[in-house]
């Protein structure tokens, strides 16, 4: 029985960390703000729960487990809203998203600074 | 460390504030690693949370960009170098990190570790020492918070002067955010109460609880606008609430004095001393929580209420 | 435990508890009433405390009922009761004075909170003096400093804000240095109680950490003390603050810092370590002397009278440091004596200036023309205060200068004695400038018709002036207590 | 090697302290001074906590089966010091807002210049005739 | 396995920090700070379990909250600045 637990938590953790790294790299390399928001969104809303589930599987049944569940719910509730709110605030803040990669770079410099 | 360097070099004040928030967060993680749970808790709640919010709200009122430094940095580098040398000179003889033979662990601390459970009957020794052994320090600390709140009130008033400005702000029409925040705030306030009364067993206590409680209100204020926040918690109440908190703390001390014991001796509170300690610590933490909550919120009201005059 | 045993804590607690009361009451007159009652109550308690200490020696009071190294302990010895007497006396008199001068300078709706802040500053200072625990000194230092930043920033002139901010930055740096110093001491000894520290320090005192701790403490307290190179915040802070605040802070804040210097350097580190091995006596003597000469010189050229007396305060602190630097019982005794006398002098002078500001508004030299005739009582008080500053025989100033010169001659350092006299001469120059303008200057033609300051302001001023003269003549109380405290400090290191 | 590892923590603290101290002294902007002050104080806290740490010790919360605890006293002192630090920063910020309203700027040099300008105007006025109280 | 995850989180945090330094517009800095915050919550949770700290979950939950409030404060800071017009060099730092 424990072996199965070990394996599933290992898979969860691996998947979580892989997504984390891809998100981080995405955050750096994406040319425009809104694509970066997408990359950051991925890590926050998907990698975090995966990692936390992996953690939960490793812990024995106790108060701590409930607390991790609480954190999971809280993160699930706040992160997507935060990312959405940030994207909206930036849009209002006057940053135009980079519409199409190919034409606009040939023409004037991308609308946003 | 490199965050500190970035903070020095960066001229965009907004960036500095963000980096300062990250810096105090990393300090909190470092404290966790050094087995200082309560301190990490406070540093995260107070250092990263409140300071960033206050800095941002005051930055909003003043200019954001910083003029380039004019006079040459030579003199200040000299002074810094001298003090740095004195510091490094001091550390040469200091006991190594974590070695048990250091005098710190031999003299006063062992008593706390052994007797605290017996005399004060609380697993969390830090709260035991904070509230009863060195209760007077915490009383002084509550007064420091009270003085700071008073000073800010004296300086800024409550910003009632702000006429109800119609804010066409990006946040107010974000429906998604409003719904989620409406869901979250009861949870935050509940968590604050948990931290307040959980101080004896795990990390927690009056200060952290007061700050979290205030953060809940600040969040409400930021998302739903100043008017509704003031409707919920009118500004005039806050100084009275803070004064009440300090009086609770002082009252416990005076009560133990009247009962013939020295000031702030909780064993006077009830027949069996250990139970008295429990009761005393609980009351004292409550007093601290109320004071910190009302002061942090009144500082936020004072800073956020003001319009940009200049 | 009868009321008498609770005295050490009562002196600090009464103002502490009245501050929230003032905020709750929030009406100017009632707040003033409560604050006045608290100030006089703690003054009475301080007198009884001084008497009990004089008869039955050092009093200790365990807070929270825990024995010293674990809990916090209040230790009142002769030195502490002596300084406590001065702090509470000044607070009581300033509260009397504030009745008229505060409503004129502070906006109506924040007067109650102003009194609460004043009470907190007073309680913080009293707390520092009474406590016997190193970290508790830092906490109460922070309370009094925060309260005084707020008080200074209440001044009418917009420069009061900038002065308060500079004071905040320098004060916090000073407090953090003290924190580092206490941290190093704790690192090597493991305890925070001052008496415990004194017993455990000698066997670790040759390590570099304790020496660096000593250096940090000196610099931190020096900043709080406005020692000569570190005094930049003082003139602006005292010049632009409301007059009642300047009077209170000038008479007590720096004096309590001198007390902390004495308590740490002689009480905790012990005279032989701090004055013997470490070159503290040379530093203090040198900085003291430079302070006297430079500050007096700058004071001579000042136009704003408040700034002039602020610079003269820096010079007077130079005298105290000089006394400590002499490293002898009479020298330290003279320094402690000067704490007492200087508080009386400066209190009287700044209160009188407050009365002038109350009537005329600004306190610049040209305002003083012909003031002798228009405000005779106030001007007489300033004259006598000035004489006491210089050290003319019948006044208290003379007594402390006399013992200082005695201390220097005892060690055959006659050049320093000469420098002290030069300092007094410089003081004579800037005081004479004032007296000459007031009594012999012609009243400016269109100067507004000005009558004498109200009685409630004159009474505290003249109580202080009378005390100045009384302690000039009958010196057994002030000198006796000072010398006893000095021998105790120098003798067994506290 | 143990010597260096043991003291490494202190040197990190020293560096951070000096960074904070440098910012406070050299930077003209008042807000940045406050941030520098915060940096300086935070590093003092780390110094205290590294002092109280015991290798292999657990957090000072009594749980059965654990006997080595790190020293609770520095934690208590730091709890007080953090709150004092925040209180000072809050008062400093309130002062900065008031200074900005009074002077229109938060740069030390500009404030100094404005003060100088004030003195000159007052001198001319003073020289002219008996000026009313400001 | 836990350590592998912790290392992954550390790498992502450093990446987020780099973005915070470089970040052309301050919106990027805000985004970087937010993602840094959430990563720290994960770090505390995983690290606490691995190194068996005491009551590390309270700190993690608290910091998730503080991070969210901080981000909202930053956004509030931006939109107020918008109303009274751009001063200084505005967007790109």
């Amino acid at each position: 029985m424990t072996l199965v637990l070990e394996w599933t938590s290992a898979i969860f953790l691996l998947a979580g960390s892989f997504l984390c790294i891809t998100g981080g790299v995405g955050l750096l390399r994406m040319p425009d703000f809104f694509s970066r928001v997408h990359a950051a969104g991925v890590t926050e809303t998907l990698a975090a729960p995966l990692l936390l589930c992996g953690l939960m599987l490793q812990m024995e049944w106790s108060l701590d487990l409930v607390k991790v569940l609480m954190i999971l719910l809280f993160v699930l509730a706040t992160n997507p809203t935060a990312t959405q709110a940030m994207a909206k605030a930036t849009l209002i803040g006057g940053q135009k998203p980079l519409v199409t990669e190919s034409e606009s770079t040939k023409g004037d410099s991308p609308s946003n600074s | 460390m490199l965050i500190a360097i970035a903070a020095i070099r960066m001229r965009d004040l907004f960036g500095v504030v963000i980096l300062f928030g990250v810096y105090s967060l990393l300090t909190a993680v470092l404290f966790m690693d050094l087995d200082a749970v309560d301190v990490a808790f406070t540093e995260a709640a107070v250092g990263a949370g409140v300071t960033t919010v206050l800095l941002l709200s005051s930055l909003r009122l003043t200019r954001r960009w910083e003029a380039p430094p004019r006079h040459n940095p030579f003199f200040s580098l000299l002074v810094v170098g001298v003090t740095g040398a004195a510091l490094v000179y001091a550390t040469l003889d200091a006991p190594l990190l974590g070695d048990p033979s250091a005098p710190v662990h031999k003299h006063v601390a062992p008593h706390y570790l052994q007797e605290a459970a017996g005399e004060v009957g609380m697993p969390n020794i830090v709260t035991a020492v904070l509230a009863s052994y060195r209760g007077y320090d915490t009383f002084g600390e509550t007064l420091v918070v009270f003085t700071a709140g008073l000073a800010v009130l004296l300086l800024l008033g409550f910003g009632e002067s702000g006429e109800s400005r119609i804010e066409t702000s990006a946040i107010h029409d974000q429906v998604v955010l409003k719904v989620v925040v409406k869901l979250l705030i009861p949870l935050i306030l509940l968590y604050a109460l948990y931290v307040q009364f959980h101080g004896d067993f795990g990390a927690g206590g009056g200060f952290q609880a007061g700050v979290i409680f205030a953060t809940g209100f600040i969040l409400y204020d930021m998302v739903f606008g100043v008017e509704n926040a003031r409707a919920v918690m009118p500004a005039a109440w806050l100084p009275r609430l803070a004064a009440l908190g300090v009086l609770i703390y002082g009252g416990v001390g005076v009560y133990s004095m009247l009962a013939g014991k020295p000031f702030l001796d909780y064993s006077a509170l009830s027949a069996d001393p250990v139970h008295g300690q429990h009761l005393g610590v609980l009351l004292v933490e409550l007093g601290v929580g109320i004071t910190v909550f009302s002061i942090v919120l009144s500082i936020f009201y004072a800073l956020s209420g003001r319009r940009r005059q200049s | 435990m009868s009321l008498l045993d609770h005295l050490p804590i009562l002196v600090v607690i009464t103002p502490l508890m009245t501050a929230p009361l003032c905020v709750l009451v929030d009406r100017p007159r009632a707040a003033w009433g409560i604050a006045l009652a608290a100030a006089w109550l703690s003054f009475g308690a301080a007198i009884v405390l001084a008497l009990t200490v004089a008869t039955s020696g050092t009093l200790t009071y365990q807070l929270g009922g825990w024995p010293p190294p674990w809990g916090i302990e209040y230790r009142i010895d002769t030195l502490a009761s002596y300084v406590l007497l001065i702090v509470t006396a000044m607070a009581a008199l300033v509260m009397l004075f504030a009745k008229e001068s505060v409503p004129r300078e502070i906006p109506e709706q924040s007067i109650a909170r102003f009194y609460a802040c004043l009470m907190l500053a007073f309680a913080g200072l009293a707390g520092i003096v009474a406590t016997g625990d190193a970290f508790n000194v830092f906490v109460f230092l922070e309370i009094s400093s925060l309260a005084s930043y707020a008080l200074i920033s209440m001044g009418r002139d917009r420069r009061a804000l900038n002065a308060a901010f500079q004071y905040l930055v320098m004060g916090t740096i000073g407090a953090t240095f003290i924190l580092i110093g206490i941290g190093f001491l704790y690192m090597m000894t493991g305890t925070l109680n001052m008496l415990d520290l004194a017993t455990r320090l000698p066997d670790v005192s040759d390590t570099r950490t304790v020496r660096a701790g000593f250096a940090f403490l000196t610099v931190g307290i020096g900043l709080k003390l406005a020692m000569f190179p570190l005094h930049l915040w003082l003139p602006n802070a005292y010049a632009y603050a409301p007059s009642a605040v300047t009077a209170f802070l000038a008479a007590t804040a720096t004096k309590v810092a001198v007390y902390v210097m004495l308590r740490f350097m002689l009480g905790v580190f012990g005279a032989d370590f701090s004055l013997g091995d470490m070159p503290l006596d040379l530093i203090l003597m040198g900085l003291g002397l430079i302070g006297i000469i430079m500050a007096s010189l700058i004071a001579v050229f000042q136009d704003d009278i408040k700034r002039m007396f602020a610079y003269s305060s820096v010079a007077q602190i130079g005298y105290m440091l000089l006394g400590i630097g002499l490293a002898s019982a009479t020298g330290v005794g003279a320094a402690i004596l000067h704490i007492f006398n200087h508080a009386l002098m400066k209190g009287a002078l700044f209160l009188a200036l407050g009365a002038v500001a109350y009537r005329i508004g600004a306190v610049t030299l040209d305002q003083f023309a012909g003031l002798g005739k228009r405000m005779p009582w106030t001007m007489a008080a300033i004259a006598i205060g000035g004489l006491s500053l210089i050290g003319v025989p019948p006044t208290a100033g003379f007594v402390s200068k006399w013992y200082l010169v005695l201390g220097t001659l005892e060690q055959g350092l006659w050049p320093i004695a000469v420098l002290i006299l030069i300092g007094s001469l410089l003081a004579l120059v800037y005081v004479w400038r004032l007296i000459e303008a007031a009594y012999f200057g012609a009243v400016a033609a269109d100067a507004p018709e000005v009558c004498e300051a109200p009685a409630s302001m004159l009474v505290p001023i003249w109580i202080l002036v009378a005390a100045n003269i009384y302690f000039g003549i009958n010196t057994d109380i002030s000198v006796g207590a000072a010398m006893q405290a000095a021998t105790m400090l120098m003798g067994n290191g506290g | 090697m143990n010597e260096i590892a043991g003291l490494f923590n202190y040197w990190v603290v020293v560096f951070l302290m000096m960074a904070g101290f440098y910012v406070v002294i050299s930077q003209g902007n008042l807000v940045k001074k406050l941030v520098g002050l915060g940096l300086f104080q935070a590093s003092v806290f780390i110094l205290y906590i590294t002092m109280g740490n015991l290798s292999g010790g657990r957090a000072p919360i009594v749980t059965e089966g654990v006997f080595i605890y790190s020293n609770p006293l520095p934690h208590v002192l730091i709890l007080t010091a953090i709150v004092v630090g925040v209180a000072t920063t809050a008062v400093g910020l309130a002062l900065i807002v008031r200074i900005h309203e009074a002077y229109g700027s938060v740069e030390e040099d500009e404030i100094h210049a404005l003060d100088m300008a004030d003195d000159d105007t007052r001198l001319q006025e003073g020289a002219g005739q008996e000026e009313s109280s400001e | 396995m836990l350590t592998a995850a912790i290392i992954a989180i550390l790498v992502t945090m450093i990446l987020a920090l780099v973005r915070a330094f470089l970040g052309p517009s301050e919106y990027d800095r805000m985004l970087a700070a937010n993602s840094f915050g959430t990563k720290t919550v994960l770090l505390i949770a995983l690290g606490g379990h691995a190194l068996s700290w005491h009551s590390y979950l309270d700190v993690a939950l608290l910091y998730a909250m503080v991070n969210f409030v901080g981000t909202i404060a930053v956004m509030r800071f931006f939109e107020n600045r918008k109303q009274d017009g751009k001063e200084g060099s505005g967007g790109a730092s």
Side-chain angles (χ1 to χ4, degrees):
Chain A
M1 176 46 196
T2 53
L3 196 62
V4 169
L5 266 182
E6 275 316 314
W7 273 102
T8 40
S9 84
I11 294 164
F12 271 99
L13 285 175
L14 252 181
S17 39
F18 171 71
L19 272 170
C20 230
I21 294 179
T22 42
V25 168
L27 195 69
L28 259 183
R29 289 190 39 118
M30 287 294 180
D32 157 69
F33 174 79
F34 289 94
S35 44
R36 278 189 215 117
V37 165
H38 167 67
V42 161
T43 52
E44 277 164 28
T45 37
L46 195 56
L50 276 175
L51 283 170
L52 287 174
C53 291
L55 180 66
M56 275 204 284
L57 290 173
Q58 293 217 339
M59 292 166 70
E60 69 290 346
W61 190 256
S62 72
L63 175 66
D64 283 355
L65 197 67
V66 172
K67 277 191 193 161
V68 177
L69 203 64
M70 286 259 285
I71 295 179
L72 185 65
L73 292 178
F74 190 84
V75 164
L76 266 183
T78 51
N79 276 344
T81 31
T83 330
Q84 188 266 347
M86 266 198 290
K88 192 154 195 199
T90 330
L91 197 63
I92 294 171
Q95 287 244 350
K96 302 290 171 299
L98 198 61
V99 177
T100 49
E101 177 62 41
S102 55
E103 295 83 16
S104 65
T105 38
K106 280 196 300 299
D108 57 357
S109 74
S111 54
N112 71 316
S113 55
Chain B
M1 253 201 305
L2 26 96
I3 293 173
I5 303 169
I8 301 168
R9 297 252 56 78
M10 192 170 275
R11 278 189 43 249
D12 164 15
L13 280 182
F14 168 71
V16 169
V17 164
I18 291 279
L19 287 178
F20 184 62
V22 166
Y23 168 77
S24 63
L25 165 67
L26 283 180
T27 340
V29 173
L30 180 63
F31 285 154
M32 280 302 286
D33 186 38
L34 292 169
D35 298 333
V37 173
D38 270 277
V39 180
F41 204 88
T42 325
E43 174 70 22
V46 171
V50 171
T51 323
T52 322
V53 170
L54 289 183
L55 273 167
L56 280 176
S57 44
S58 60
L59 213 54
R60 191 159 56 87
L61 297 170
T62 57
R63 189 134 346 111
R64 222 194 81 185
W65 297 98
E66 187 211 8
R70 259 182 290 287
H71 43 71
N72 64 48
F74 172 69
F75 167 70
S76 35
L77 278 180
L78 183 74
V79 171
V80 166
V82 167
T83 15
L87 270 166
V88 171
Y89 171 81
T91 55
L92 295 183
D93 273 359
L96 302 184
L97 174 69
D99 75 19
S101 67
V104 160
H105 303 300
K106 284 203 292 295
H107 179 49
V108 170
H111 167 82
Y112 287 143
L113 292 173
Q114 278 92 26
E115 272 74 12
E119 283 166 352
V120 179
M122 231 178 283
N124 183 354
I125 304 169
V126 174
T127 321
V129 173
L130 183 78
S132 86
Y133 283 107
R134 296 185 70 86
Y136 194 63
D137 263 356
T138 322
F139 185 49
E141 195 181 321
T142 327
L143 279 157
V144 166
V145 171
F146 183 67
T147 327
L150 216 56
V152 170
L153 283 188
L154 272 174
L155 278 165
L156 296 179
F158 261 117
E160 290 94 349
S161 63
E163 69 297 342
S164 68
R165 38 191 168 72
I166 29 104
E167 225 170 289
T168 57
S169 66
I171 284 213
H172 280 224
D173 46 28
Q174 296 219 2
V175 177
V176 170
L177 197 62
K178 283 196 175 181
V179 167
V180 169
V181 164
K182 227 186 227 106
L183 272 169
L184 276 181
I185 287 193
L187 183 87
I188 295 179
L189 300 184
L190 195 67
Y191 184 65
L193 290 179
Y194 162 75
V195 164
Q196 165 83 34
F197 297 111
H198 176 68
D200 304 355
F201 306 98
F207 290 106
Q208 300 89 342
V211 169
I212 300 171
F213 216 81
T215 323
F217 271 91
I218 290 175
L219 185 62
Y220 181 78
D221 171 280
M222 277 196 287
V223 172
F224 291 95
V226 187
E227 299 73 25
N228 339 46
R230 294 224 171 166
V232 169
M233 173 52 90
W237 280 9
L238 289 173
R240 287 190 177 76
L241 218 59
L244 185 72
V246 174
L247 284 178
I248 290 176
Y249 202 118
V252 167
V254 169
Y255 176 80
S256 58
M257 237 157 84
L258 298 180
K261 289 263 180 26
F263 186 70
L264 279 183
D265 184 348
Y266 306 132
S267 39
L269 289 175
S270 82
D272 128 53
V274 176
H275 176 61
Q277 295 287 350
H278 268 290
L279 191 61
V281 168
L282 213 61
L283 267 175
V284 156
E285 291 281 343
L286 194 66
V288 167
I290 294 174
T291 319
V292 169
F293 158 67
S294 45
I295 292 293
V296 168
L297 200 55
S298 60
I299 293 176
F300 180 77
Y301 274 170
L303 282 173
S304 72
R306 280 183 106 67
R307 280 302 303 131
R308 262 173 72 89
Q309 268 82 12
S310 75
Chain C
M1 285 175 81
S2 73
L3 186 62
L4 211 61
D5 307 340
H6 286 304
L7 266 183
I9 195 69
L10 269 179
V11 175
V12 177
I13 283 300
T14 29
L16 276 187
M17 296 306 277
T18 44
L21 282 180
C22 286
V23 170
L24 276 177
V25 152
D26 212 7
R27 276 195 314 281
R29 300 231 65 72
W32 178 73
I34 299 173
L36 184 75
W40 280 92
L41 217 94
S42 61
F43 179 41
I47 293 176
V48 173
L49 204 61
L51 293 178
T52 41
V53 167
T55 50
S56 66
T58 314
L59 266 170
T60 57
Y61 184 87
Q62 292 163 6
L63 282 154
W66 304 107
W70 294 286
I72 296 169
E73 181 210 31
Y74 263 18
R75 279 180 68 75
I76 315 277
D77 54 8
T78 35
L79 179 63
S81 68
Y82 192 73
V83 176
L84 211 56
L85 206 60
I86 266 293
V87 170
T88 41
M90 286 317 298
L93 289 174
V94 165
M95 284 319 286
L96 255 180
F97 175 83
K99 179 170 180 305
E100 290 301 326
S101 105
V102 162
R104 170 117 10 165
E105 289 178 22
I106 310 287
E108 184 59 27
Q109 78 278 8
S110 44
I111 284 185
R113 291 180 188 137
F114 174 83
Y115 281 126
C117 250
L118 200 60
M119 276 294 113
L120 281 169
F122 164 48
L125 291 175
I128 297 172
V129 174
T131 185
D133 182 278
F135 190 75
N136 211 324
V137 168
F138 170 73
V139 173
F140 274 86
L141 188 73
E142 207 56 41
I143 293 178
S144 57
S145 318
L146 268 178
S148 43
Y149 304 146
L151 290 173
I152 290 171
S153 66
M154 292 302 289
R156 280 203 310 266
D157 184 341
R158 70 175 181 175
R159 272 179 271 198
L161 294 169
N162 199 16
F165 188 78
Q166 298 304 339
Y167 183 25
L168 182 131
V169 170
M170 288 218 178
T172 318
I173 291 180
T176 319
F177 268 50
I178 293 175
L179 190 62
I180 298 172
I182 297 175
F184 281 148
L185 291 188
Y186 174 70
M187 193 191 285
M188 293 317 284
T189 57
T191 167
L192 281 171
N193 187 322
M194 288 195 196
L195 194 64
D196 218 3
L197 271 172
T199 47
R200 301 178 75 84
L201 261 179
D203 45 40
V204 283
S205 67
D206 50 8
T207 56
R208 298 192 186 86
T209 321
V210 170
R211 285 222 181 82
F214 178 85
F216 272 100
L217 268 172
T218 324
V219 171
I221 299 173
L223 240 160
K224 279 285 163 189
L225 190 62
M227 198 148 59
F228 176 67
L230 309 167
H231 71 293
L232 300 173
W233 54 272
L234 190 125
N236 286 343
Y238 284 4
Y240 299 118
S243 43
V245 170
T246 325
F248 179 66
L249 288 184
T252 51
T254 36
K255 306 313 160 288
V256 168
V258 172
Y259 164 82
V260 171
M261 168 80 89
L262 281 171
R263 176 66 73 193
F264 268 105
M265 293 314 151
L266 301 181
V268 171
F269 282 102
D272 43 21
F273 173 77
S274 59
L275 299 174
D277 327 346
M278 298 288 274
L280 183 67
D281 50 358
L282 293 179
I283 300 171
L284 286 185
M285 217 183 281
L287 287 182
L289 280 176
I290 305 170
I292 296 169
I293 307 300
M294 287 301 290
S296 308
L297 270 177
I298 304 170
V300 171
F301 299 107
Q302 282 307 321
D303 180 28
D304 177 351
I305 306 299
K306 264 189 176 177
R307 276 174 78 83
M308 184 177 89
F309 279 125
Y311 274 110
S312 98
S313 285
V314 175
Q316 300 297 321
I317 291 164
Y319 283 113
M320 293 180 212
L321 294 180
L322 190 63
I324 303 172
L326 289 176
S328 67
T330 39
V332 171
I336 298 170
L337 183 64
H338 200 48
I339 291 179
F340 190 81
N341 296 338
H342 184 255
L344 292 180
M345 284 189 268
K346 271 299 174 315
L349 283 172
F350 274 114
L351 284 182
L353 282 182
V356 171
Y358 177 76
R359 273 290 176 244
I360 298 179
V363 224
T364 50
L365 197 57
D366 44 34
Q367 299 294 336
F368 267 72
L371 202 61
K373 293 178 261 317
R374 289 187 284 151
M375 291 175 80
W377 284 96
T378 329
M379 219 30 238
I382 292 182
I384 296 170
L387 293 181
S388 172
L389 203 60
I390 304 162
V392 173
T395 61
F398 169 73
V399 173
S400 46
K401 292 251 170 45
W402 170 257
Y403 275 94
L404 261 176
V405 169
L406 209 66
T408 43
L409 292 185
E410 206 178 65
Q411 300 191 345
L413 302 161
W414 61 268
I416 296 181
V418 168
L419 279 175
I420 292 175
L421 293 182
I422 294 172
S424 307
L425 282 180
L426 282 172
L428 178 66
V429 167
Y430 60 74
V431 170
W432 176 253
R433 228 163 58 109
L434 195 58
I435 295 175
E436 187 254 351
Y439 282 106
F440 307 106
V443 177
D446 55 7
E449 187 34 53
V450 159
C451 64
E452 194 40 280
S456 84
M457 287 171 130
L458 278 183
V459 163
I461 298 174
W462 274 91
I463 292 176
L464 276 174
V465 170
N468 246 325
I469 298 170
Y470 173 75
F471 285 112
I473 302 159
N474 163 5
T475 59
D476 53 7
I477 307 167
S478 56
V479 171
M483 285 310 161
Q484 192 196 348
T487 39
M488 207 184 67
L489 270 179
M490 293 297 283
N492 52 27
Chain D
M1 190 40 209
N2 174 304
E3 173 76 21
I4 307 297
L7 291 179
F8 174 72
N9 238 350
Y10 293 124
W11 290 332
V12 167
V13 166
V14 166
F15 174 78
L16 285 178
M17 238 181 249
M18 287 314 107
F21 201 45
Y22 172 76
V23 169
V24 172
I25 294 176
S26 70
Q27 298 296 343
N29 184 305
L30 299 183
V31 177
K32 202 146 196 203
K33 260 188 198 294
L34 266 186
V35 171
L37 217 57
L39 222 61
F40 183 54
Q41 280 176 340
S43 55
V44 175
F45 304 154
I46 302 174
L47 170 74
Y48 265 66
I49 296 288
T50 42
M51 230 190 328
N53 185 16
L54 198 60
S55 54
R58 286 288 311 281
I61 295 167
V62 176
T63 43
E64 61 295 331
V66 172
F67 294 103
I68 324 164
Y69 294 106
S70 55
N71 179 353
L73 197 56
H75 302 180
V76 175
L77 304 182
I78 288 307
L79 273 174
T80 317
I82 287 181
V83 174
V84 162
V86 171
T88 324
T89 320
V91 172
L93 283 177
L95 275 170
I96 288 179
V97 167
R98 276 291 297 271
I99 289 176
H100 184 79
E101 273 161 20
Y103 285 93
S105 112
V106 271
E107 296 300 329
E108 227 176 17
D109 319 332
E110 284 163 22
I111 294 172
H112 195 60
L114 283 168
D115 282 349
M116 286 308 128
D118 262 10
D119 290 350
D120 310 339
T121 47
R122 187 172 300 128
L123 278 180
Q124 283 103 22
E125 272 166 29
Q129 23 61 33
E130 184 67 46
E131 44 103 8
S132 65
S133 63
E134 192 206 336
Chain E
M1 186 35 67
L2 218 54
T3 43
I6 291 174
I7 294 161
I9 294 177
L10 279 176
V11 164
T12 337
M13 280 162 75
I14 293 164
L15 290 176
L17 259 184
V18 165
R19 170 50 61 196
F21 290 164
L22 291 178
S25 77
E26 68 273 4
Y27 298 109
D28 299 306
R29 286 215 181 84
M30 171 173 73
L31 178 68
N34 184 10
S35 73
F36 184 87
T38 47
K39 296 298 175 299
T40 343
V41 170
L42 295 176
L43 181 74
I44 296 176
L46 289 177
H49 182 66
L51 307 166
S52 68
W53 292 337
H54 192 283
S55 71
Y56 56 95
L57 287 168
D58 295 339
V59 178
L61 184 58
L62 170 82
Y63 193 70
M65 227 185 288
V66 166
N67 184 33
F68 180 63
V69 170
T71 318
I72 302 285
V74 164
M75 276 191 290
R76 173 106 193 252
F77 166 71
F78 278 134
E79 42 90 23
N80 280 33
R81 207 166 52 76
K82 210 71 57 262
Q83 272 153 35
D84 26 16
K86 283 226 164 44
E87 101 287 2
S89 64
S93 66

